[in-house]
Amino acid sequence: MSARRVTIVGAGPVGTLLALLLARRGWHVQLLERRADPRRVAAGGGRSINLALAARGLAALQAAELCARIGPELVAMRGRLLHDERGACSFLPYGTRASEVIWSISRERLNTLLLDAAAAHPRIELAFLMRCVDVDPQRRVLQLQSGDGETQAQPFDLLLAADGAGSAVRSALVRRGLSRALEAPLEHDYKELGIGAGAAAALRWPREALHIWPRGGYMLIALPNIDGSFTATLFLPRSADPGFAQLRDAAAVRAFFAAHFADAAEAIDDLPGQFAAHPQGRLATLHCEHWQAGGCVGLLGDAAHAIVPFHGQGLNAGFEDCLLLDRLLDSHAALEALVRFERERRPDAEAIAAMALENYEEMRSGVRDPRFSARAALAAELERHFPERFIPRYSM
Ligand code: FAD
């Protein structure tokens, strides 16, 4: 394949992995990021501290030969550890085989490893503090704003947008009538709270599990970090009873946690302080009508199909996008590759979006029903006897 030039907007995990895969094909990649280099400037709070990587995401990292670097950063999670109201715990494995695990990784470390690899690649030109503010697919020109506020026009051959759920490229396509986008917000928000390694060890929390405190209408979860600490996330309605709106002061926060998550409350250092300082994040599912325009602009990752995080698959799906688009570009011209990418990928994106919403119900409520473990045991038996015909949803 002859050398090609591509501009990628967004040096988040999806944009950076895509840059690495395309550069491996001999393409010249310009990777533009609106923020300062996160390896030098600490990022502001907001998105999750750690996330779950699964086989789908790892397969894409493997294609970029990054697994050896990422391996030491991973903590295996072999199943869900449920904490009930009385503090008793029960374990629900993810699958019947030892290999059926998902992996917790620090978002910051993952980004750093990807950016280090991109910065070291001779065919990737990385530019930070470069915000894309507009794209004109007809003229093949994008408008960029640099850190000092200067705006400049830049021509492009092919532009791939991995600029996240609030994508400026998607907005430009919508403004020009080339796509439509609908964000379906969730009525529940989230807030992250850190749990120190010492506190987790004192409570003898097993590290190799995703901990869940399912409480029916809401839940707390905690993912392990490699240093033995955990990052907990509270998912709670914004304004119902109970809801974030009621947790206005330290006393209300303490009382709520003591009543519903007593063991976790013990482990979270300065709970009211963290609660007041950490942002309350919003969640939504994005439905975007067209993922490409003019055969020269394509959307992928959260920019095309942001979902709620309850299957831990948003980034995994974005990484899988990179793998598919890279393979299609191998044998098709850009226009054809972008059209095929959207056609092949959309049903999968819609499926995981719906399953992610369903899984919130399962995590916060379904797992408390004794019939849930009975169903899981039945699914495991069916898989054991008919592996060609039955695969439990979680294994898929
Ligand atoms: P982003 O990570 O949003 O990156 C976009 C990048 O583009 C950023 O660097 C941004 O600064 C840059 N950018 C934005 N606008 C511009 C612009 N105009 N010009 C230039 N650059 C721009 N997924 C999982 O697979 N597993 C999990 O366990 C998981 N947990 C999650 C928990 C929570 C609470 C949330 C909110 C999400 C979770 N996700 C998880 C989803 C995951 O975070 C996203 O799917 C993933 O970050 C998408 O990657 P991305 O690169 O497409 O977008």
Side-chain angles (χ1 to χ4, degrees), residues 9-15 32-35 47-48 51-52 107 130-132 162-164 168 190 283 301-302 309 312-316:
V9 178
V14 171
L32 304 171
E33 168 59 43
R34 71 170 173 192
R35 294 189 212 162
R47 276 282 172 84
S48 55
L51 38 77
R107 184 184 286 271
M130 275 293 176
R131 177 191 290 265
C132 169
D163 52 345
Y190 74 95
L283 299 165
D302 273 19
Q313 286 290 343
L315 180 60
N316 284 285

Side-chain angles (χ1 to χ4, degrees), residues 8-17 31-36 38 46-54 57 77 102-105 107 111 115 127-134 142-145 161-169 190-192 210 221 223 233 235 281-284 300-319 321-322:
I8 298 177
V9 178
V14 171
T16 312
L17 179 63
L31 181 56
L32 304 171
E33 168 59 43
R34 71 170 173 192
R35 294 189 212 162
R47 276 282 172 84
S48 55
I49 309 278
N50 52 16
L51 38 77
L53 271 183
M77 296 186 287
I102 54 174
W103 306 90
S104 176
I105 186 167
R107 184 184 286 271
N111 249 355
L115 285 172
F128 293 98
L129 295 172
M130 275 293 176
R131 177 191 290 265
C132 169
V133 287
D134 195 19
L142 77 153
Q143 298 289 334
L144 291 172
Q145 192 175 56
D163 52 345
S167 170
V169 175
Y190 74 95
K191 190 180 284 268
E192 293 203 331
L210 191 153
I221 66 167
L223 269 69
T233 311
F235 295 95
R282 295 270 167 119
L283 299 165
L300 72 169
D302 273 19
H305 48 67
I307 59 175
V308 296
F310 305 109
H311 241 306
Q313 286 290 343
L315 180 60
N316 284 285
F319 278 175
D321 285 357
C322 299

